[in-house]
Structures are given as C-alpha cells and as structure tokens.
Amino acid sequence: MPGTVIIGSQWGDEGKGKVTDFYGETADLVVRYQGGNNAGHTVVVGDRKMKFHLLPSGIMRAKHVFIGAGVVIDPRVLKKELENLEKIGKEVHLTIDPRAHIIFPWHNLEDGAQENEHGGEKIGTTGRGIGPAYADKCYRTGIRFEDLINEKRLKQKVEKVYPFKKKLLEKTFGVKIKETADEIFNQYNELGKEFLQYVGDVSLEVNEALDSGKNVMFEGAQGTFLDNDFGTYPYVTSSHPISGGVATGVGMAINKISRIIGIVKAYTTRVGEGPFPTELTGRVGDDLREKGQEYGTTTGRPRRVGWLDIPLLRTSMRLNGFTEIALTKLDVLSGFEKLKVAISYSHSGKTFDYFPYSMRSVEKAQVQYREFEGFTLSGKEKKFKDLPKSAQNYIKFIEEKMGVPIKLVSLGPERSQTILVD
Ligand code: GDP
Ligand code: IMO
Ligand code: MG
C-alpha cells in the first residue's frame, strides 16, 4: 500500500497532531522524517492532552513508530517523552535510524547566540538547537545516533567536537558552556545505553512495510513556508517539511507515496519573525488568537494570526502535490460577522495568484481580499450538510481555489469533533 503523508500547508501548527491521530487509527506505522523537538503536536483524547515534540504523535494509535534519518534528535527530550508515555501505561514500539543527527547542549547555546548576533533581525527560533545541529550535519562534523549508542565512538566524537565548540562559543559569541566535555559525554553515554534498543534501519524497515502492503503514515513537522528552500527565507527552519522531504528524510523513493494530505488551518498563524502579509494586529487578531488559543505548543509564545491566504495555499499545493485537504479549526471562525480571505497579490502593476517568490516582492506586494459572510456553529454538526450555508461556501471556495477535495473538516481538538466529507 503506498504511503500517506501529513503536511502543514502554512507556517506550522495547522493541527497536524490531531489529524495524524485521527487517521492514525488505521496506520500500522507512523514515521517522522524531518525537524526535531522544535515541533509541538497536540493530541486530545478525552480529558487527556498529549504534546509531542519528537516522537510521532501517531504513537497514540499506531503499532510502531519510527524516527527517520532526516530528524535531529535531542536525547534529553526523547527520554522525557518516553517517560510521559510510560506514566500513562502506553507501550512504545520505536525504531530510530542510526543516521539521524544528535542535538548537544552546544547547539542550544549556538542557537541563542546566533539569534543575539542578529540583533533587531532575529528569526525567532524555538531555541532548541535545530539550526546548529543541521548546520553541523552539512559541515560533516555532526554526531549521529550510531555514535550516541557506541561508548567508544561517542567519547572520541565528543572529545573532538567539544574544544572547537567551546572556542566558538566563548571566543566568538562570548557565551560560556557550563558543562565539561566529560559531563556531556557521561550524560549522553547514559542516554545512548538506554536508547540502544531502538536502533534499526528505518529506510529498510519502512520500505519493506510499504512493499508488504502495510499502512504507513509520514508525519510532517513545521509547515511548507518554513521550508529551508521554499519558505520565507531566512525566517524558516533548517529542514524540508514539504512532501519531497519524505524521500530524503526516510530514505525511500518518491513513487511510494500516493496520498498527500495538506493540513489547512481555516485562518493563518505563524510563530516567530518573518513576513506575514495577511496578519491581523488589531482587535480582530486578538479575538482570533484567544478563540483559537493560539499560543505555541513548544515555547508558549503567542502566535501571530491573520486571514486565510489563498495564494499561499495555491503555492503550497504546487510545492507538495496535495491529493486532499484536511481543514482544521473552522470552529474558531464561528461568531465573526464577516471573514476575509486573501485572493491575490499585486506589485509593479501585475496581479499574482501565487505567493511572491522573492522576499523583496513579498515586502512590496499588496494583498487583495474577498469578504465572506460569517457563520455561527452550534457545536452539534456531524455532517457537512449540518454546517451553515455560509460555512459551506467558505469551504467550497477553498476547495475550488486549491483544486483538490476537502475530505476532513475539524471543528475542535477532539477526535469526535471531526466531519468526514463524502
Ligand atoms: P500541529 O503542530 O500542527 O500539530 O498543531 P499544534 O498542536 O501545535 O496546534 C494546534 C492546536 O489546535 C492544538 O492545541 C490542537 O489541540 C488544537 N486543534 C486542532 N484541531 C482543532 C480544531 O479543529 N479546532 C480547535 N478549536 N482546536 C483544534
Ligand atoms: P509544528 O510541527 C510553528 C518556527 C520558529 C521560527 C522558525 C525557526 O508544531 O508545526 P527553529 O527552532 O526551527 O530553528 O525556528 O520556525 N517553527 C515553528 N513554527 N510550528 C512549528 O512546528 C515550528 N517549528 C519551528 O518559530 O520562526
Ligand atoms: Mg505545533
């Protein structure tokens, strides 16, 4: 059975956790392929709210979860997440690719130091060391999961990297690294011993599962416009959240994926800095933030909020090849008298129905909006036809502009607050 991918179509936090959990009911395997614990995916089951940063949120349902080579792993966070699952009696069947890179304390420090160097032009990272860990991977100086679980190799690697990082942090950035090389080695060696049981060739196992007809889901982290190449650079993350990232992040061929689900939040949000053409900074924005509880799952920062952006979504469609859409948080728009949707951008006398491709054009562009009648939901809607007409129109408009069916409409964080559209 070809695989299914869950992709954030905007700037992250679209509700990937909820949708992964929802569809995860039928998944045999759920796989993370990029990013690290910068992600924050929420799953609500009854009274329980679980937040996953590193483990696939599909773990609540799937039989077996995987962390692929393209992920950067902070073993301190992995330990905490595994402990949280143990507390609720959840059995974990996990495989981690030996090629995945490891986040060390110096990466966190470098992340913060780089941000301070940017002065007034911070990226607004999550501070989790993600960028520096990916940078070391590209420099070919990174330490991988296969090193973490091998005492001798770990010692050699830490002893080699530590003096360089200490010099960099202290001499260039003026930041003190408080742990000694031995302390870091000891802490990570303990973690490595604990995690030795999880090592396995994720590329091989996932390919075999796909070939034998298993249902495999790939859980994207972040969102399309945080992609290192195609996002709003430099205000992006350091990995490739778009659907093409699955192939390189897991080690598989692109033709093994047939279902690509784009998660679209019914409005737009972004955490951190960077352009956001439909941003609402006044009272309507504040209302939307409060109603949607738009506060970062990882850092707790208030999320910036704005109207839905069709050119952005059409670009996302092009970059990912969505075969269907899951529309989330429609309930948050309930009660607004009027809704606005960006339908085009213009600059230098030309109109575009795609998101501008260069940062300069984004800065210069004007946004054209279309106004929609608002709607009020009762909370009892179970089918598409139960939704008020104006809500149906809003949904149909998105569907028409994106050119693919909306197969799921989410009206709340819980599994039961979900409409499947025929
Ligand atoms: P992710 O990073 O894409 O997994 O999204 P987050 O978990 O960071 O943020 C989405 C938030 O919205 C979480 O608190 C979810 O529980 C919540 N959520 C998901 N779907 C819905 C929905 O349809 N309506 C409402 N009101 N909340 C939702
Ligand atoms: P999920 O998976 C929203 C943002 C940060 C910052 C930029 C770079 O929950 O959707 P990084 O720490 O990755 O170097 O920060 O990317 N960012 C996210 N925004 N959701 C996320 O993940 C994000 N992960 C990173 O806020 O702007
Ligand atoms: Mg999130």
Side-chain angles (χ1 to χ4, degrees), residues 239-250:
S239 67
H240 297 288
I242 59 174
S243 60
V246 174
T248 52
V250 175

Side-chain angles (χ1 to χ4, degrees), residues 57 147 188 248 271:
S57 54
D147 307 317
Y188 274 61
T248 52
V271 209

Side-chain angles (χ1 to χ4, degrees), residues 104 236 252 392:
F104 282 84
V236 293
M252 57 184 275
Q392 293 188 15

Side-chain angles (χ1 to χ4, degrees), residues 13 40-41 297 303:
D13 304 324
H41 297 179
T297 309
R303 293 178 183 145

Side-chain angles (χ1 to χ4, degrees), residues 110-125 173 234-235 273:
E110 261 182 273
D111 197 349
Q114 290 267 10
E115 283 284 77
N116 286 335
E117 287 297 306
H118 289 311
E121 285 176 25
K122 282 189 191 338
I123 291 167
T125 72
F173 294 118
Y235 302 98
E273 305 307 314

